[in-house]
Amino acid sequence: MAERTLTMTIQPDWRRALRFAGQAAQAETYQGETLNFETPVACFGRLTQRRWALIDALLGAGELPIRALARRVRRDVKRVHEDVVVLAELGIVERTAQGGVICPYAEIRIDMRMKPSANAA
């Protein structure tokens, strides 16, 4: 299998985003994975600056125990654990059988596009 990639998108029409992801899943070759947020507020509400720092520390690092990750980002173990729970719920990181955490992606892309809203005058 090819190295895994994740593309984060902001698409208010979640049905459209789901259709797009379904089409990618039907392709004969790996198209990467998609995580969609309906609004920028939803994205940045879940992916805080501290959580981005965890993703950055994990990307390409292999499996790390929570304590080692906390030392790497110079944060409290309890708070890092709380953030890892959120990142795991989103599918950005994965917990391992040994209790560690890993970011399984070789690359993470962010695709954010804004267009004038229908209400713009």
Side-chain angles (χ1 to χ4, degrees), residues 8 18 27 84 88 109:
M8 295 183 201
L18 188 58
V84 164
R109 301 175 187 144

Side-chain angles (χ1 to χ4, degrees), residues 44-67:
F44 297 120
R46 299 296 301 258
L47 296 174
T48 63
Q49 181 176 356
R50 289 185 174 169
R51 291 177 186 154
W52 278 115
L54 293 177
I55 295 167
D56 185 49
L58 285 167
L59 202 59
E63 179 183 354
L64 289 175
I66 295 287
R67 288 187 183 283

Side-chain angles (χ1 to χ4, degrees), residues 4-119:
R4 291 174 66 184
T5 61
L6 175 66
T7 302
M8 295 183 201
T9 60
I10 296 178
Q11 173 60 258
D13 183 352
W14 64 268
R15 287 182 181 99
R16 182 175 179 218
L18 188 58
R19 280 192 305 272
F20 179 77
Q23 290 169 350
Q26 297 296 321
E28 290 185 28
T29 60
Y30 178 71
Q31 302 293 308
E33 298 158 54
T34 302
L35 173 62
N36 184 65
F37 295 94
E38 291 185 16
T39 65
V41 171
C43 177
F44 297 120
R46 299 296 301 258
L47 296 174
T48 63
Q49 181 176 356
R50 289 185 174 169
R51 291 177 186 154
W52 278 115
L54 293 177
I55 295 167
D56 185 49
L58 285 167
L59 202 59
E63 179 183 354
L64 289 175
I66 295 287
R67 288 187 183 283
L69 178 59
R71 280 192 301 269
R72 190 173 277 206
V73 296
R74 295 182 174 95
R75 290 185 50 211
D76 177 75
V77 173
K78 181 180 178 183
R79 299 296 174 231
V80 167
H81 180 268
E82 291 169 352
D83 285 341
V84 164
V85 167
V86 173
L87 294 173
E89 288 171 357
L90 292 170
I92 299 171
V93 302
E94 296 174 355
R95 298 298 305 259
T96 65
Q98 297 78 21
V101 63
I102 189 168
C103 182
Y105 302 103
E107 181 178 34
I108 296 177
R109 301 175 187 144
I110 303 169
D111 184 3
M112 297 175 51
R113 300 175 188 165
M114 294 194 66
K115 296 179 181 179
S117 69
N119 299 330

